Amino acid sequence: MPARSQDRTDRRVAVIKALAHPSRLIIAEALQAGEQCVCDLRELVGSDLSTVSKHLTVMREAGLLEMEKRGQNVYYRLRCPCLLSFFECVDSLAPVRRTNGKK
Amino acid sequence: MPARSQDRTDRRVAVIKALAHPSRLIIAEALQAGEQCVCDLRELVGSDLSTVSKHLTVMREAGLLEMEKRGQNVYYRLRCPCLLSFFECVDSLAPVRRTNGKK
DNA sequence: AATTTACTTGGCGAAACAGCCAAGTAAAGA
DNA sequence: TCTTTACTTGGCTGTTTCGCCAAGTAAATT
């Protein structure tokens, strides 16, 4: 594979990985309605604050999120307006259709 | 989180995870042009046949792919026509924009 | 200046994932 | 029927990811 398209693949994978975890997906979905601070997101996903913070770092470094400190809070928001249509597509896939073979 | 929406989240995560690996992403991209048999995909990604087969199982169980045996080959094809627009969205994100803070 | 609040970072053990080899299977061909 | 082809599955080791606790930081408040 040429170096160029490998770069592109790696970047795509980083973004997709940043969504490929229940807590991070929930965060992404929540942020579609607008920015939230870390403590709100912590409450939403219900894990330790440090865990949430690390998830947010993953998402930010993938390019999915922006952060901004205002007052004593840090606010995160989506940089990608197009998640919704993808999720609709994902939801349209039947749970697990067995195409061939039994078992 | 209510059981219902957890199911939905889990299903979404399964689909996203099925794309969150370089080889699997390359496979998904290749299948946008039409079905391919396992041995062609093996050549494309360059790993062991057993490895490719396992990747395909992950993608199929997530609902992304259909399989069909014809002659002596097994053909896989996408069940999801919407990947392209998602990839365009993913590519629109700048590599890693540092929004705030130095370091 | 000391304390509190709202995070981020380091570190570590547990769990999940990846990829190879070897073995199993099922259909096609000799 | 025996062999070959095209996979799939089992098993194992190495790597990555996850989530907690503890410690660090920086801005706001007292």
Side-chain angles (χ1 to χ4, degrees):
Chain A
M1 180 164 24
R4 268 300 167 66
S5 76
Q6 218 216 9
D7 283 357
R8 198 195 55 172
T9 297
D10 289 347
R11 246 182 308 113
R12 285 180 171 184
V13 168
V15 172
I16 296 168
K17 270 191 179 172
L19 291 169
H21 182 283
S23 300
R24 293 197 294 261
L25 185 59
I26 287 168
I27 289 170
E29 289 169 348
L31 293 182
Q32 286 181 139
E35 65 174 20
Q36 301 222 36
C37 68
V38 183
C39 55
D40 288 343
L41 296 170
R42 189 215 88 82
E43 190 154 329
L44 179 68
V45 309
S47 335
D48 193 87
L49 190 63
S50 68
T51 300
V52 174
S53 178
K54 282 176 182 173
H55 282 313
L56 291 167
T57 299
V58 169
M59 297 173 81
R60 184 167 47 82
E61 292 190 341
L64 263 178
L65 303 184
E66 286 182 332
M67 75 193 292
E68 186 186 352
K69 183 153 198 174
R70 282 203 318 274
Q72 47 195 343
N73 298 311
V74 177
Y75 292 89
Y76 280 85
R77 56 178 168 268
L78 279 182
R79 291 185 56 227
C80 178
C82 49
L83 292 178
L84 202 60
S85 65
F86 178 61
F87 292 151
E88 276 165 16
C89 162
V90 166
D91 291 340
S92 75
L93 298 172
V96 178
R97 194 167 92 185
R98 304 219 166 269
T99 307
N100 209 348
K102 59 295 184 73
K103 198 267 179 98
Chain B
M1 186 173 7
R4 271 299 168 68
S5 77
Q6 218 215 9
D7 284 357
R8 199 194 55 172
T9 297
D10 289 348
R11 248 183 307 113
R12 285 180 171 184
V13 167
V15 172
I16 295 168
K17 271 191 178 171
L19 292 169
H21 184 284
S23 299
R24 293 198 295 259
L25 186 58
I26 287 168
I27 289 170
E29 289 169 348
L31 294 181
Q32 286 181 138
E35 64 173 21
Q36 300 221 36
C37 69
V38 184
C39 55
D40 288 343
L41 295 170
R42 188 215 88 82
E43 190 153 330
L44 179 68
V45 309
S47 334
D48 193 87
L49 189 63
S50 68
T51 300
V52 174
S53 178
K54 283 177 182 176
H55 282 314
L56 291 167
T57 299
V58 169
M59 296 173 80
R60 184 168 46 82
E61 291 189 341
L64 263 177
L65 303 184
E66 285 182 334
M67 76 192 293
E68 186 186 351
K69 183 153 198 173
R70 283 206 313 277
Q72 50 196 340
N73 298 313
V74 177
Y75 291 89
Y76 281 86
R77 56 179 169 270
L78 280 181
R79 292 185 56 226
C80 177
C82 48
L83 290 179
L84 201 59
S85 65
F86 177 61
F87 293 152
E88 277 164 16
C89 162
V90 165
D91 291 341
S92 74
L93 299 172
V96 178
R97 194 168 93 183
R98 302 220 168 270
T99 307
N100 208 350
K102 60 289 181 82
K103 200 266 185 99

